[in-house]
Amino acid sequence: MVLALPLVFSCVRTSQSCRHGVQAFRSLRPFAATPASLASSKFSSVLNPQNARTPRIPVLRLRPGRSGLVRAAWGADVEFHPAKVTSNKEEALKQHRLVIEVGKLAAEYSTPGQFVQAKRRAEDKAGFFAIASPPDLDSGRLELLLKASGATAEELCALKPGEEVLVSKPMGKGFRIDTIPVEQYPSILLFATGSGISPIKALIESGALAGRRSVRLYYGTRTPEHMAFAQSIEAWSSEHGVTVLPVFSSSDDGYVQDAFARDENVDPNSSGGTAAVLCGQKEMTVELTALLKERGVDAILLNF
């Protein structure tokens, strides 16, 4: 009787780890055993579930190839594809607006609030970035807002037009606006902090909020210099009917949840149903969710 031990493959940065993994693989031998020896061995849990313990599975670490196929933390395969940078501009303080040519991958982007994973090289750790441009099946391009924080994001912020980046297909459920129909929810409250404005921008510019009686955006950043897409605010108001309320935490404004709490112009119960869309730091979403529910707003959308 021979037991075949399973192997788990994962990706690391260095070729040295790869060589060690290959050596470990070569050192493995089939385990030949009789039922008697199994009963008294550490493999007895295979035959007797009562003896089962958490198995120790050998790990072979290999560097991924050009295809960039890796296994995500939750077990799903993520395939990375080469894309080309078409523009990279500083959008706000320590934030870059990166436009990449992704070809047919753009057709996978259907809902504002979706994201991509991106990295410079196959062996690098990927970052997760919400898509800032509205869905456009024919454009072949995606726009990302990158905050220059962390090795991956900093390296992507330094890319020049014409250079290559590896990206996944668009992922995530996005903002399910179909669950808050305009007839039932004529008023919408939007909340975004920092780079969380990225998917909110995509939502506004997609036209998915058209026909609402009222759309208010509480947009929080540390200072005016940290406010990405500031030049788009006028168009959000004139073309999409969004009232934008900037909130700067370095001033007396506090945070967006503070601004909403003291805003006397908002009564969720005064104009029919009200729904909310949130994107930002966890503390903000937790506090706002509790505050919104206190005010009778139960339809709250997140993009994750």
Side-chain angles (χ1 to χ4, degrees), residues 214-236:
S214 172
V215 180
R216 294 171 71 85
L217 167 61
Y218 298 82
Y219 180 11
T221 64
R222 184 178 180 184
T223 68
E225 290 74 25
H226 289 85
M227 180 169 279
F229 309 122
Q231 74 283 356
S232 300
I233 290 179
E234 183 177 350
W236 293 348

Side-chain angles (χ1 to χ4, degrees), residues 64-85:
R66 175 67 174 171
S67 64
L69 184 63
V70 300
R71 187 169 295 279
W74 53 87
D77 288 336
V78 179
E79 186 171 2
F80 288 85
H81 307 266
K84 184 173 293 186
V85 176

Side-chain angles (χ1 to χ4, degrees), residues 35 111 186 230 259 293 297:
T111 308
K293 289 184 176 180
V297 179

Side-chain angles (χ1 to χ4, degrees), residues 7-10 21 24 57-61:
L7 295 178
V8 176
F9 295 85
S10 61
I57 302 174
V59 176
L60 179 62
R61 302 182 182 276

